[in-house]
Amino acid sequence: MAHTNQKHILSADDLVDLQQGITERWHRAEKKADCWQDARRLVKFRAQGALRHAGENHLINTYQWHLEDKIRDPDILPEEVVCLKKAIDQSNQRRNDKIEKIDDFLINRFNVVLISAKMCLETPGTIVDRLSILVLRLFHMSREAARKGLKRKQVSAMRKKLEILKMQKEDLMKCFDELMDDLSAGRKYYKTYRQFKMYNDPATNPYLRKKSR
């Protein structure tokens, strides 16, 4: 379903189509993916420009979703927790880098900014990332709702959650397309905000700095 009459550099419909396709491809290949490099090798998709960065952001989120599941296993060994925590930290850094890449790519495509334009703090990249997580929640909640052996009350509760998630996805898609409308027309503008994750940088984390010596 199209959310605006105007075709933009990046549309919500194109985003969700790509995100859903990547999600399905990942779940067909996940048993073969022991690390991030495996995920990149196994899950291929075609896209260019901002949509390419959005697809890579979604693959990062899809891979990280499973790391977050694993680390919550009550029977996990302490040494596995350490490895998973490091992998999640690295994945979060990749995720933030991709959000910035989306914003950097798009920001130069909007040439006209009106004097009356208002600044928006939620950038296209941050909405793309939020939409990615919603697509993943919908996929996993749908799978759980279809799982065998559930009681009627459990199925009913999950279906209610699914309806809410679908509504949130539609709302977010609409907001994304409206933002792209405003950016294209010069009614709004944004800046790419840098995360500067200090704990991943030897220059700003004393423990990493000590290790590098």
Side-chain angles (χ1 to χ4, degrees):
M1 181 180 70
H3 292 81
T4 65
N5 294 324
Q6 188 175 358
K7 183 70 175 176
H8 289 304
I9 303 164
L10 194 58
S11 74
D13 285 332
D14 289 344
L15 272 173
V16 170
D17 284 346
L18 181 63
Q19 289 166 342
Q20 289 173 338
I22 289 170
T23 303
E24 289 165 7
R25 282 192 284 279
W26 160 263
H27 285 90
R28 289 196 294 267
E30 64 175 307
K31 291 181 180 177
K32 300 176 184 177
D34 293 324
C35 63
W36 168 241
Q37 287 73 21
D38 288 342
R40 292 189 68 186
R41 177 175 53 83
L42 292 165
V43 182
K44 301 293 185 183
F45 60 92
R46 291 182 180 179
Q48 299 296 324
L51 193 59
R52 179 77 200 176
H53 293 309
E56 289 170 353
N57 166 265
H58 186 68
L59 181 56
I60 291 164
N61 283 335
T62 307
Y63 173 71
Q64 188 170 328
W65 183 285
H66 294 270
L67 296 180
E68 299 283 4
D69 274 352
K70 285 180 184 178
I71 205 168
R72 286 163 174 80
D73 182 349
D75 298 321
I76 194 170
L77 297 172
E79 54 267 30
E80 290 180 290
V81 173
V82 173
C83 290
L84 282 169
K85 180 67 173 75
K86 287 181 178 179
I88 289 168
D89 280 349
Q90 290 168 350
S91 188
N92 265 322
Q93 185 66 59
R94 285 191 290 265
R95 174 174 164 253
N96 284 310
D97 290 345
K98 276 298 157 189
I99 291 170
E100 291 179 9
K101 287 278 187 185
I102 295 165
D103 288 335
D104 283 342
F105 183 91
L106 289 174
I107 204 164
N108 295 320
R109 268 62 183 177
F110 305 113
N111 298 318
V112 178
V113 179
L114 303 176
I115 295 173
S116 59
K118 295 181 179 180
M119 185 179 179
C120 50
L121 286 178
E122 186 158 41
T123 66
T126 58
I127 299 178
V128 167
D129 186 63
R130 286 179 61 193
L131 196 51
S132 168
I133 300 301
L134 270 174
V135 166
L136 287 168
R137 282 186 185 142
L138 270 164
F139 177 88
H140 286 280
M141 190 68 73
S142 297
R143 272 213 320 191
E144 289 302 311
R147 186 163 45 88
K148 291 181 179 179
L150 290 178
K151 295 179 181 178
R152 189 177 297 176
K153 282 181 70 175
Q154 291 175 306
V155 174
S156 177
M158 287 188 190
R159 284 178 179 169
K160 286 179 183 177
K161 289 177 181 179
L162 275 170
E163 288 305 309
I164 293 170
L165 288 171
K166 287 174 184 176
M167 181 184 67
Q168 289 175 340
K169 181 178 72 101
E170 287 297 312
D171 289 347
L172 199 54
M173 289 175 74
K174 181 181 177 183
C175 288
F176 181 81
D177 282 339
E178 287 176 352
L179 175 60
M180 296 297 282
D181 277 340
D182 287 337
L183 291 169
S184 295
R187 292 186 295 268
K188 287 186 179 178
Y189 70 98
Y190 69 90
K191 298 176 183 178
T192 302
Y193 280 88
R194 309 299 172 186
Q195 297 297 318
F196 298 131
K197 295 293 185 182
M198 296 175 68
Y199 49 72
N200 286 333
D201 188 348
T204 52
N205 182 330
Y207 292 95
L208 289 178
R209 190 161 58 247
K210 180 175 63 176
K211 184 70 176 179
S212 66
R213 289 173 186 168

